[in-house]
Amino acid sequence: MAETWLIILLSGLLTYGIRLSFIALHGRWQPPLVFQRALRYVPPAVLSAIILPEIFLPAGLPDFSPLNPRLLAGILAVLVAWRTRSTLLTIVTGMLGLYLVQWLIR
Amino acid sequence: MQRKPLFLQGARDTLPILIGVAPFGMIYGVLAVKAGLAVAAAQGMSVILFAGSAQFMLVQLLGAGTPWFVAVASTFIINLRHALYSASVAPHTQRLSPLWKSLLAYVLVDEVYAVAITNFERSAPRGGQHWYMLGSGLALWAGWQAGTALGIFLGAQIPEGLSLDFTLVVTFIALLVPTLKDRPMLLAALAAGMTAVAANGLPYKIGLLLATLVGIVVGLWSERAWQKPG
């Protein structure tokens, strides 16, 4: 519990520091270009690095079967996200897809 | 002199975004409670961190028992892009008082940045546009906090066994897919994802950080590979 608060406080402080950084510097210094280019890849890398283990390692155990319910529901969610660009629709169809597959292969 | 209308205009221009952000905050609240966070910690994270995807990631890391230094380092990396927002907003805030700067930095999240920078660039000569950004920031803040609170409340009512942890996966898929605009982005995501799966057994749950680094390197490398002339 104490560690949870430590993590929240430190993460919050660091995040605030990042947001304040250049504002506090009065815009006198701009970040180097390679840094800007590298940061472009952080969102897709982090998101994917959380998604794939959650799909292929449910409860920490590997499941690479094509009938893995999380894999099937995940593919459905990717398709919906790609076609509709709607966050809410992706979440809803992804979850319903998971329930459907779980019910079918039970 | 024209503070109030500017403040309200900023808030009004943020309302359409709130329709997407508030449910997102709600899902965060549900997930946080289901991951075992206390009510105060779940809401506290929304107040102290005030960052969408980083909060989802932290909930997942906390649920997995990640050591504090890895969890904090991961949040740092995922929020490092805010430095670019800070740099981009800085020329428009350089004449403000330290109090204003510290206020605006607190609300400098993706959505507020997007709304505020457009307005700064359009209306800068007229002055007073920091009121617009504050209006946008506080509107988003209020929506995020309300969404979180509702999610915490709902999370406690929803029974177990509904695979709610999977909402994290589908939410992240919804955020990931629009970022895959070109081949380097796609390769970065694939490389990071596969590294994370392969590195799952590594100590200190260091896999996420390692995977992110691999993703960045692969992205930068493939930029050069494909953008070479001829």
Side-chain angles (χ1 to χ4, degrees), chain A residues 16 37 41 48 54 70 99, chain B residues 60 86 102 162 165 189 223:
Chain A
Y16 183 67
R37 277 177 43 221
Y41 297 106
S48 174
E54 285 282 331
R70 291 173 154 239
Y99 295 147
Chain B
Q60 199 259 359
S86 188
S102 44
L162 282 175
D165 57 319
E223 258 180 41

Side-chain angles (χ1 to χ4, degrees), chain A residues 5-100:
Chain A
W5 277 107
L6 174 81
I7 291 172
I8 293 174
L9 281 173
L10 282 179
S11 302
L13 252 148
L14 278 175
T15 301
Y16 183 67
I18 294 169
R19 291 175 186 164
L20 188 61
S21 58
F22 289 97
I23 292 181
L25 283 170
H26 309 284
R28 270 186 302 226
W29 191 73
Q30 288 289 312
L33 201 65
V34 66
F35 176 71
Q36 304 192 26
R37 277 177 43 221
L39 283 185
R40 211 167 77 89
Y41 297 106
V42 171
V46 170
L47 293 170
S48 174
I50 289 175
I51 294 168
L52 290 199
E54 285 282 331
I55 286 181
F56 290 113
L57 302 156
L61 300 169
D63 179 359
F64 296 105
S65 142
L67 285 180
N68 172 351
R70 291 173 154 239
L71 174 62
L72 295 174
I75 292 172
L76 176 69
V78 168
L79 290 175
V80 172
W82 178 45
R83 302 306 303 187
T84 68
R85 295 282 141 119
S86 158
T87 310
L88 214 55
L89 205 61
T90 305
I91 295 170
V92 171
T93 45
M95 289 310 289
L96 291 179
L98 180 71
Y99 295 147
L100 181 71

Side-chain angles (χ1 to χ4, degrees), chain B residues 31-32 43 46 51 75 80 122 156 168 172 181 183 209:
Chain B
L31 272 175
Q43 189 76 49
S46 275
T75 323
L80 205 51
R122 197 178 44 205
L168 174 87
F172 274 16
K181 279 173 274 194
R183 199 153 17 177
L209 282 178

